Amino acid sequence: MDGYQRRRHMAEPHAFPHEKEKAKLQSSASSLEKKLKEALAEMKFLNQAIELDLKLKEEALAEMKSLNQNLIAKERKSNDELQEVCKKLMDKEEDLKKMESTIQSLIEKECASNDELQEVREELIDGLGKFDSSDFIRIKRMGDLDLKPFYSAAKRKYYDPETEGKAAELCSIWEYYIKDTSWHPFKIVMDKEGNQVKIIDEDDEKLKGLKDEYGDKLYEAVTTALTEKNEYSPGCGYLISELWNYEEGRKASLQEVVSYILKHWKKPKQKRNRRSVRELRKKGN
């Protein structure tokens, strides 16, 4: 064994503990390095996650800000539109008030005109009622019965000597019924427009008996009188007079009545004028 080997052999027992410590330190350093790398990687991931979260929050905040701005703009627009609508409503309300005032004024004028026209009709009814006329324009008592259908019905049912008396008796009975306010042979129905209208109740016992015994014409005469009475003087025991166009079977207009009066007023005047002319000619001769 040479000197070098002896020195090495002598030194190895003393150097071995240092090698173990070194290896242990290297292992610890390697482990710490690995953990550091892992920690750095984890920190990097966390930083990326934080950055992504911040980015998402910034985008969400920007979106919320944009949405808020849009909502504010819409709200302003809505407020402007609402104010415009309110202004239009106020204008419409003002127009409506003016229209209501105009309508009320027209209604008052119409009522006044109707009152005047009604007064004219009453004067004409009173005037024409004093003359016994057989012309097509004359006075009709609304709800009054015509004796002719009663006479025809009595003639079919009774002997000739009894006809006139039975017709007058039957007519008188039904005139009493028509004026009787406790008898109401009507019913309420709905028309096509959904309005309530009052019509003859065909199931009324008195009317059914009249139709069965005397026929349709007498039934129609009585129901027509009932309808007129109900229209002109419902709930009253008397009949109302009306200017009537007998040629067309309807209420006469004021123009028709005035034309009729003027026409008949001119005839006597023309006759008087002709008589005056003849008298002058005689004197001249």
Side-chain angles (χ1 to χ4, degrees):
M1 182 181 293
D2 56 16
Y4 172 76
Q5 290 178 340
R6 281 197 300 272
R7 286 194 301 273
R8 185 179 178 186
H9 178 73
M10 290 175 68
E12 280 181 356
H14 300 285
F16 183 71
H18 296 288
E19 290 291 331
K20 288 179 69 177
E21 188 68 27
K22 183 178 179 182
K24 187 177 179 180
L25 288 172
Q26 287 177 347
S27 177
S28 297
S30 177
S31 178
L32 288 171
E33 185 180 2
K34 183 180 179 182
K35 288 181 180 181
L36 181 61
K37 287 181 179 179
E38 290 176 355
L40 289 171
E42 187 175 353
M43 287 180 65
K44 184 178 180 181
F45 176 77
L46 288 173
N47 286 332
Q48 289 176 347
I50 291 170
E51 288 177 358
L52 179 62
D53 183 59
L54 288 173
K55 184 179 179 181
L56 291 174
K57 285 182 178 179
E58 287 176 355
E59 290 177 353
L61 185 62
E63 187 176 354
M64 287 180 66
K65 185 177 180 180
S66 175
L67 181 61
N68 190 39
Q69 289 176 346
N70 290 334
L71 288 174
I72 291 171
K74 287 181 179 180
E75 185 178 3
R76 287 176 179 171
K77 184 179 179 181
S78 298
N79 288 334
D80 293 340
E81 290 176 352
L82 183 60
Q83 289 179 359
E84 183 67 23
V85 170
C86 289
K87 185 177 181 300
K88 288 181 179 179
L89 286 174
M90 290 176 68
D91 293 340
K92 292 291 183 184
E93 186 177 1
E94 187 67 27
D95 292 341
L96 184 60
K97 286 180 179 178
K98 292 179 180 178
M99 188 179 296
E100 287 177 350
S101 177
T102 303
I103 291 172
Q104 185 62 34
S105 177
L106 290 174
I107 290 173
E108 290 174 358
K109 289 181 180 179
E110 183 181 9
C111 289
S113 298
N114 288 337
D115 291 341
E116 291 177 0
L117 291 175
Q118 187 59 36
E119 289 176 3
V120 171
R121 293 191 75 89
E122 290 174 0
E123 289 290 334
L124 289 171
I125 289 170
D126 184 59
L128 288 177
K130 295 176 182 178
F131 298 95
D132 185 15
S133 173
S134 59
D135 284 348
F136 71 98
I137 298 292
R138 57 186 190 270
I139 305 302
K140 175 179 172 63
R141 292 176 72 220
M142 306 308 293
D144 213 355
L145 288 170
D146 184 4
L147 187 59
K148 290 180 182 178
F150 287 89
Y151 182 81
S152 299
K155 191 173 182 180
R156 289 194 304 271
K157 190 174 179 64
Y158 303 105
Y159 295 109
D160 285 341
E162 299 178 341
T163 298
E164 289 187 9
K166 290 292 184 181
E169 181 182 352
L170 187 61
C171 184
S172 178
I173 290 171
W174 282 97
E175 282 178 345
Y176 172 79
Y177 287 155
I178 289 172
K179 294 177 183 178
D180 184 8
T181 56
S182 64
W183 184 47
H184 195 74
F186 295 93
K187 62 182 179 180
I188 304 296
V189 297
M190 304 292 287
D191 63 9
K192 293 180 180 180
E193 287 75 26
N195 301 315
Q196 291 185 343
V197 293
K198 188 183 291 186
I199 63 171
I200 294 290
D201 184 5
E202 297 176 355
D203 295 326
D204 180 82
E205 293 297 328
K206 288 181 182 179
L207 293 177
K208 285 175 68 177
L210 175 69
K211 190 174 185 179
D212 293 340
E213 188 171 358
Y214 294 100
D216 292 337
K217 288 188 177 180
L218 196 56
Y219 172 83
E220 289 175 4
V222 171
T223 53
T224 299
L226 277 168
T227 303
E228 291 174 354
K229 170 69 168 55
N230 181 69
E231 180 182 353
Y232 280 84
S233 55
C236 297
Y238 55 87
L239 303 181
I240 300 296
S241 296
E242 181 59 278
L243 299 169
W244 199 256
N245 185 328
Y246 278 86
E247 192 174 78
E248 299 184 12
R250 59 169 175 79
K251 178 180 176 180
S253 68
L254 286 176
Q255 183 177 355
E256 288 175 328
V257 177
V258 171
S259 298
Y260 166 81
I261 292 172
L262 290 174
K263 179 181 177 182
H264 283 262
W265 178 76
K266 287 178 181 178
K267 286 182 178 179
K269 187 177 180 182
Q270 289 173 353
K271 290 180 180 178
R272 289 195 302 270
N273 290 338
R274 287 171 187 162
R275 188 165 55 249
S276 299
V277 170
R278 285 197 301 268
E279 291 174 354
L280 287 171
R281 284 177 179 174
K282 287 179 180 178
K283 291 179 180 179
N285 292 332

